[in-house]
Amino acid sequence: MFQNRAEALALTLPAAIFAALVFLLPVAILLSEGFRSGGAWTLAAYTDFFSETLNRTVFFRTFRLGLEVTAVSAVIGYAAAFAIVNLPPKGKGRMIGLITLPLMISPVARTYAWIVILGRTGIVNEAITGLGLSPEPLRLLFTETAVFIGLLQLFLPLMILSLISALENMPKDAIPAARVLGANWFQVFWKVILPLTKEGLVVGGTLVFTGSLTAYITPAILGGSKVLMLETLLYQQVSVANNFISASVIAFILIVMSFAANILLKRLATARNGR
Amino acid sequence: MKKALITSVALAALFPLGAAAQERTLTISVYAFAQDDYKTIVYDPFEAKCGCKLVVETGNSVERIAKMEANKANPVVDLAAVSMADGLAASRAGLIDKVDASKLENFSKLYDVAKDPNGDGMSVGYTFYATSIAYRSDKMKIESWADLLKPEYVGHVAFPNVTTNQGPPALYMLGLALGKDTPDLKAPIEALGEKKDEIVTFYEKSSQLVQLMQQEEIWAAPIGRFSWAGFTKLDVPVAWATPKEGQTGGMNVLVLTKGSKNQDLALQFMDFWLSTEVQTKLAEKLIDSPANKEVKVSDQVANNITYGEETAKSLKLISSAAALDNRNGWLKEWNEKVGQ
């Protein structure tokens, strides 16, 4: 397509310069703050951060919730994506439209809807008290459960879309062939579908996990400071304490976690194939 | 050809005018709150009056001060509206200049408490507000700040997070109710920490409280008076508490950036904002309680804002110095006792 590599590089140069100036450079400056003290390179900011019980609690909570949301969205996502790819074209288009519809609505509006749904007078509590499962409405808002539900609803469409794309690229006769050879549905999924759709799972998993780590509005509204996450802690450090060193540490941790998740998912995917 | 020449000459003639208009640009840094109303009441009329362009930057107080600090060598913002404590923080950081009150025609019209809130001549108060407890009068009775922690009420309370403007003042009053008048707020934070699992939420945005009250998620929350209007529109009975320990609150101030090239224009804008006409309009819209004592409002408006010098004087405010010196300590204590 291009005469030579120089031509291709020249075409990417404007975008690269723009990204370097408005994204990479500021991020590098911010992150370097966390490794410097009194003009010298040091890890003191990181040891200080992890020496506080609250920070450790928030770190593990964020990591755990990210994993839980990713795992559950993968399970639901595979089921939904498998059902959708087997629909006739018209039905498939409609379903994909329905899945993408929430992505066009602001996360703020979607999160506020959960306040209505999960509230003491919301439909969930009305159903619980109506069915006699509890005499009193349950406290669902401002809990880890609420944050989990909010994040799952926020990022599930990304997982489903990634898996739809992966399943559509899978050879159409792979599943019938496995069934003919005597594989049950679990074996079909584990030995055929999963290896053939690993790319979609890696992409979807990375999007959901990193999204769950970095989402601010949903944990802030549905969890508040009772369910502090790394991103709400970061906001607190910048906007209240004006502590950019701590903010830099949290930002770096979030970046490392995102990259680690991506690498880990890729490794798991290749390990599944025995390659 | 002739047409093109005339057009070129006309365009060339416009360039100096454009440059002149650009020179008369005032950049202000304000809270994101009620910006549509501010535009109508303050910004557009001032632009028409001065023939200048107003550039508005919004954000919370701490963020905007941090930005001013980053641009200290070459200031972008000419005037900022910040909390009283952040006004002092900006003063300590050498980010602001003294306000020349002799250039403000409306300065003499201000309540005494607003003329120099931090006592350093570096800021002028433009609004103050009371902070007390909005509560469901059909469900509970609030006579003391400590009532919020009563076993029968605590499961229906939203308390402001220490990171909000309402958090420290509300904690301070809770401390007074517990018989602990210390600026470190350790006692009230500890008391809240003991009840943290029962308290519905430690809110960060007062805008979410109206919905929570409507849904019966909460019965009570300490709020600033500027948030009160939303509660009056609810179809449930909500009252404004007058606890025996008194009410607290806060004041917002206007400051001038050090090294700004538009200080005279900034002073003109400050004077315009403090004028009786502008302050009256802002009060009638229930946006800002007036710092200008000549403002007269109806009883209905007065009941929904923080009105009058006696009210302002009666508020038990945390001094700016105490707030600044203890801010990080409060946050650390809060995160240890309440945040985990």
Side-chain angles (χ1 to χ4, degrees):
Chain A
M1 178 153 181
F2 296 110
Q3 300 288 328
N4 51 42
R5 277 189 69 209
E7 206 174 80
L9 280 171
L11 283 170
T12 59
L13 204 60
I17 291 169
F18 180 77
L21 284 177
V22 305
F23 174 67
L24 293 175
L25 187 65
V27 167
I29 291 168
L30 174 72
L31 295 183
S32 69
E33 292 282 319
F35 292 100
R36 291 186 71 78
S37 179
W41 294 98
T42 171
L43 288 173
Y46 288 81
T47 51
D48 288 351
F49 179 83
F50 282 107
S51 68
E52 288 197 27
T53 315
L54 171 82
N55 295 341
R56 289 199 303 273
T57 307
V58 171
F59 171 79
F60 287 116
R61 179 188 292 140
T62 308
F63 184 69
R64 182 171 43 78
L65 267 170
L67 279 181
E68 286 169 1
V69 170
T70 308
V72 173
S73 69
V75 172
I76 299 172
Y78 264 113
F82 192 73
I84 290 164
V85 292
N86 287 303
L87 287 171
K90 211 173 181 178
K92 194 191 294 183
R94 280 189 189 141
M95 287 306 289
I96 290 173
L98 277 175
I99 289 162
T100 51
L101 189 66
L103 297 173
M104 298 171 197
I105 300 164
S106 156
V108 180
R110 288 156 77 186
T111 302
Y112 265 101
W114 282 110
I115 288 189
V116 177
I117 294 164
L118 299 174
R120 290 174 72 86
T121 53
I123 52 170
V124 175
N125 262 317
E126 275 184 7
I128 288 168
T129 51
L131 293 167
L133 299 173
S134 169
E136 284 285 303
L138 300 177
R139 167 93 49 91
L140 299 172
L141 279 178
F142 311 113
T143 61
E144 253 191 47
T145 308
V147 176
F148 171 81
I149 291 169
L151 289 173
L152 184 64
Q153 191 257 344
L154 209 58
F155 297 113
L156 182 60
L158 300 177
M159 179 64 90
I160 296 175
L161 291 171
S162 298
L163 292 174
I164 286 173
S165 169
L167 284 166
E168 286 199 315
N169 290 328
M170 202 174 79
K172 292 281 174 279
D173 50 6
I175 295 172
R179 293 288 288 161
V180 165
L181 292 168
N184 61 32
W185 277 110
F186 176 77
Q187 288 171 313
V188 167
F189 175 76
W190 195 247
K191 298 197 173 209
V192 178
I193 297 175
L194 192 59
L196 290 172
T197 57
K198 65 175 192 285
E199 294 299 334
L201 180 63
V202 167
V203 171
T206 305
L207 287 173
V208 174
F209 185 76
T210 54
S212 302
L213 289 189
T214 54
Y216 170 75
I217 290 290
T218 302
I221 293 176
L222 296 178
S225 55
K226 287 184 86 170
V227 189
L228 213 52
M229 305 267 285
L230 276 176
E231 55 277 25
T232 40
L233 186 65
L234 188 149
Y235 175 81
Q236 193 185 81
Q237 290 301 320
V238 171
S239 298
V240 183
N242 200 11
N243 184 347
F244 281 85
I245 303 290
S246 189
S248 158
V249 169
I250 298 167
F252 187 73
I253 290 167
L254 286 168
I255 290 169
V256 168
M257 282 166 88
S258 301
F259 276 112
N262 185 258
I263 292 162
L264 186 72
L265 279 165
K266 277 183 177 164
R267 286 264 167 93
L268 283 172
T270 49
R272 273 284 323 121
N273 274 355
R275 276 183 269 133
Chain B
M1 180 72 199
K2 195 179 171 186
K3 251 185 189 175
L5 189 70
I6 292 166
T7 310
S8 304
V9 171
L11 284 171
L14 283 173
F15 268 105
L17 288 177
Q22 285 222 324
E23 279 168 12
R24 297 274 292 172
T25 297
L26 183 73
T27 305
I28 63 167
S29 166
V30 296
Y31 289 100
F33 170 72
Q35 282 305 290
D36 290 345
D37 288 318
Y38 269 111
K39 189 175 186 305
T40 310
I41 297 167
V42 190
Y43 308 155
D44 290 350
F46 182 74
E47 280 185 331
K49 187 182 167 190
C50 71
C52 61
K53 189 177 182 305
L54 210 58
V55 176
V56 183
E57 292 189 0
T58 59
N60 82 27
S61 221
V62 176
E63 280 168 9
R64 293 183 291 111
I65 295 284
K67 200 172 169 183
M68 282 167 76
E69 195 149 10
N71 297 319
K72 194 174 177 177
N74 193 11
V76 177
V77 167
D78 300 303
L79 173 143
V82 293
S83 72
M84 213 168 102
D86 287 324
L88 184 64
S91 170
R92 284 183 182 179
L95 301 175
I96 55 175
D97 262 339
K98 273 208 178 321
V99 177
D100 186 352
S102 67
K103 291 185 178 172
L104 299 173
E105 283 178 28
N106 295 299
F107 188 77
S108 59
K109 298 175 188 172
L110 298 178
Y111 293 122
D112 287 343
V113 287
K115 283 179 177 168
D116 184 11
N118 286 326
D120 55 2
M122 307 291 261
S123 60
V124 173
Y126 70 91
T127 185
F128 57 86
Y129 56 85
T131 294
S132 189
I133 302 158
Y135 69 100
R136 283 283 300 268
S137 52
D138 58 330
K139 305 265 189 193
M140 62 204 299
K141 199 169 165 60
I142 296 282
E143 289 167 338
S144 163
W145 285 82
D147 289 347
L148 290 172
L149 301 184
K150 278 185 173 175
E152 63 269 36
Y153 297 158
V154 71
H156 301 279
V157 167
F159 202 90
N161 195 301
V162 75
T163 58
T164 64
N165 277 340
Q166 306 314 308
L171 281 164
Y172 174 61
M173 296 312 288
L174 183 61
L176 287 182
L178 298 169
K180 306 277 184 189
D181 184 2
T182 56
D184 60 18
L185 303 180
K186 277 192 175 177
I189 290 173
E190 197 163 328
L192 269 188
E194 286 166 12
K195 306 273 185 179
K196 67 177 181 183
D197 294 331
E198 293 160 80
I199 287 170
V200 177
T201 184
F202 297 103
Y203 76 83
E204 307 228 352
K205 300 260 185 293
S206 57
S207 50
Q208 71 182 120
L209 295 176
V210 175
Q211 187 184 3
L212 294 180
M213 190 79 89
Q214 178 70 53
Q215 285 180 207
E216 307 222 345
E217 202 71 36
I218 60 167
W219 292 350
I223 60 162
R225 193 69 176 183
F226 53 83
S227 308
W228 173 241
F231 290 89
T232 61
K233 296 183 181 88
L234 290 174
D235 50 14
V236 291
V238 186
W240 180 265
T242 48
K244 62 185 180 197
E245 298 84 16
Q247 296 181 37
T248 178
M251 187 179 300
N252 290 346
V253 298
L254 298 173
V255 295
L256 300 171
T257 311
K258 196 175 200 152
S260 153
K261 295 176 183 71
N262 299 303
Q263 280 220 352
D264 282 345
L265 194 57
L267 275 164
Q268 282 176 43
F269 178 70
M270 187 185 282
D271 205 27
F272 182 73
W273 194 333
L274 299 174
S275 67
T276 310
E277 185 191 355
V278 168
Q279 291 256 313
T280 304
K281 284 179 181 172
L282 289 169
E284 283 170 346
K285 279 272 185 183
L286 306 184
I287 297 163
D288 280 339
S289 300
N292 181 322
K293 61 189 173 200
E294 289 190 0
V295 170
K296 297 284 179 284
V297 293
S298 66
D299 288 348
Q300 193 194 348
V301 171
N303 285 337
N304 285 300
I305 58 174
T306 310
Y307 185 63
E309 184 151 34
E310 286 314 306
T311 310
K313 276 182 182 169
S314 72
L315 300 179
K316 293 181 175 168
L317 306 181
I318 298 178
S319 78
S320 298
L324 280 189
D325 296 340
N326 288 284
R327 196 182 259 170
N328 287 345
W330 292 338
L331 187 59
K332 196 170 185 297
E333 191 73 17
W334 177 278
N335 282 342
E336 280 172 13
K337 301 274 168 37
V338 183
Q340 294 189 50

